[in-house]
Amino acid sequence: MALCDPIELYRELRMAEKNDQMRRSDWETIQDVFSYFANSGWAANQALAFYIGMSFFPTAVQKFRKFVLDKCSADLGLYLVSLGPCDDAVRFLFPIFAEYCLEEFTDEMKSFEAMISKADLTKPHTWFPFARAMKRRIVYHCGPTNSGKTYEALQRFKEAKKGIYCGPLRLLAMEVFDKMNSHGVYCSLLTGQEKKRVPFANHVACTIEMVSVDEMYDVAVIDEIQMMADATRGFAWTRALLGVKADEIHLCGDPSVLDIVRKICAETGDELEVHHCERFKKLEVEAKTLLGDLKNVKSGDCVVAFSRREIFEVKLAIEKNTNHRCCVIYGALPPETRRQQANLFNDQDNEFDVLVASDAVGMGLNLNIRRVVFYNLSKYNGDKVVPVPATQVKQIAGRAGRRGSRFPVGLTTTLQLDDLAYLIECLKQPFDEVKKVGLFPFFEQVESFAAQLPDLNFPKILAKFAESCRLDGMYFFCKHDHIKKVANMLEKVKGLSLQDRFNFCFAPTNIRDPKSMYHLLRFASDYGQKVPASIAMGMPKGSARNDTELLDLETKHQVLSMYLWLSHQFDYESFPHGKKAEAMATDIADLLGQSLTKANWKPETRQSAGKPKPRKNEDGYDRPKSLITSYKEEKAGEKQGAGN
């Protein structure tokens, strides 16, 4: 039976009138075999080869099971029982299943084939034929933080007749814009929220998502190229690398994506040149730590915490128990406020000599940090508390001892002694080699795919695209939870085209903030009704007096930022108050800066469900339980396993 030709066996089943009698126990075993087959990832993947999609696979298996059980001979039944629910049984049944599908599901297979042909994301380098027609020279400035990578690249950018700088943050684009113009190089600024055209400018500083793949440049700089591997935004760096039309492209980043850039260049036919950069100043670990006491912070320290609540608790504890004053930087702050806080910290002629920051300090700011102190080395990832990834630890720790600062070396340590081992381990680890980089479809690809599914709404089209798309081994489909949540919220909004929905889904909104989501829904509804979208939001009377008012300022600025972004994506008649929104956003950014300098309150506790309650340390301020103990246990387990 095992050697029987599957086509012959299938024909025999087709010809059989009914199944032979079997014992009840054998019957139950065969049912288990088919359950195992239905749950086989291998079988589901193999079925894709003849266009049985993942969503249809369970239905196909159910019908195949009924077909076999209705016609099963005693010999076939006994053989399946002898195999039992296992991989061998799956491999025995699969060719018969394939024959059954080819005969029974021709319409479903043709439909799926047409659909996936529109969701084909293989060979993404062929999407940019003009870039492929060029012989581009790609220079990879490869090294750790504070090794002069971006400085080298910007020198070539400055010398070029026409150049573009692509950064991960508005803050970095703004910094390059200011620096170039101050050096006499006319440079424009292009981000989702700003379009500042400088007369006679041949250079532009932009955020990575805004880079043009239509313009021709002499020199392009793509900063933080390792972000190609970012689960959410990686596609923007991939698109820039594959599509920018520049004779010379300078990539700045750590070594993690060097090998995959080599592979991409082999496919695109571009010439790759690697410049290895070393840190200008040594980074040393202080083994003493702060002994669990924030009274031991010193001037020039940056204390890094991984939640907004912790940041304000640390600031409060330092200012209450020492003579230091703290500046604050975290992700929800607008770039203008972050830059204001950075300048305040860097200025030696004031009392603000300690910085308390989130991981947002890892890139985008020039900071004169003497020592990076990790308040803890674990963070909540939306599901559970996990150790901070080693690459992120290295990026943040490397901010100490910046070139040009007054400190001879960069120092890093932890607040608690039990976190020190993990810090040292992270700094010792080489950069992990990235195996895959991100992709996400253009609107035209989604539109073409949607034409195959006229009865589905936009959220379901996105889900179906993600399920059906084909990718080469070097690429992954970027996470799009933000897009899905906005798409679902806008589903019942009338008057929006498919492209309108696609564009609204990329608006920079905080999907965890109900107020921000409400305003996005309102903007989309107004647009759908062809009514000019109003800001409908008053200016606050002054700086924040408590955390509730500070959160309100953050939300107001975020909504204004979203309005500005939409005003650049859609026509002026739909979002006519861009100038007003810009002025309001500037004023609120100033109020946020004023609020942070005097903030002396405890933050609101808004813990997510399932997040562990923090523990108090000996000084009485909150600190989440460290995961370093489990890290040590894991390492001990590895050693024990090696000794067995």
Side-chain angles (χ1 to χ4, degrees), residues 67 168 181 201 244 381 411 522 545 557:
F67 164 75
N181 284 295
V244 167
N381 69 357
L411 302 173
R522 184 172 61 79
R545 294 165 296 179
H557 191 281

Side-chain angles (χ1 to χ4, degrees), residues 457-463 480-493 496 498 500-507 509 511 517 520-521:
N457 62 23
F458 184 54
K460 289 180 180 175
I461 288 168
L462 284 176
H480 50 291
D481 297 343
H482 174 282
I483 296 170
K484 285 191 291 187
K485 187 159 185 178
V486 174
N488 283 322
M489 180 183 72
L490 300 183
E491 183 192 344
K492 294 182 180 178
V493 176
L496 299 181
L498 187 72
D500 293 336
R501 293 181 187 279
F502 189 83
N503 288 338
F504 271 107
C505 283
F506 284 91
T509 188
I511 60 173
M517 291 291 275
L520 179 57
L521 177 61

Side-chain angles (χ1 to χ4, degrees), residues 380-385 606-613:
Y380 186 62
N381 69 357
D383 179 38
K384 58 184 178 180
V385 177
R606 299 192 300 177
Q607 289 182 329
S608 303
K611 184 176 178 181
K613 289 184 179 180

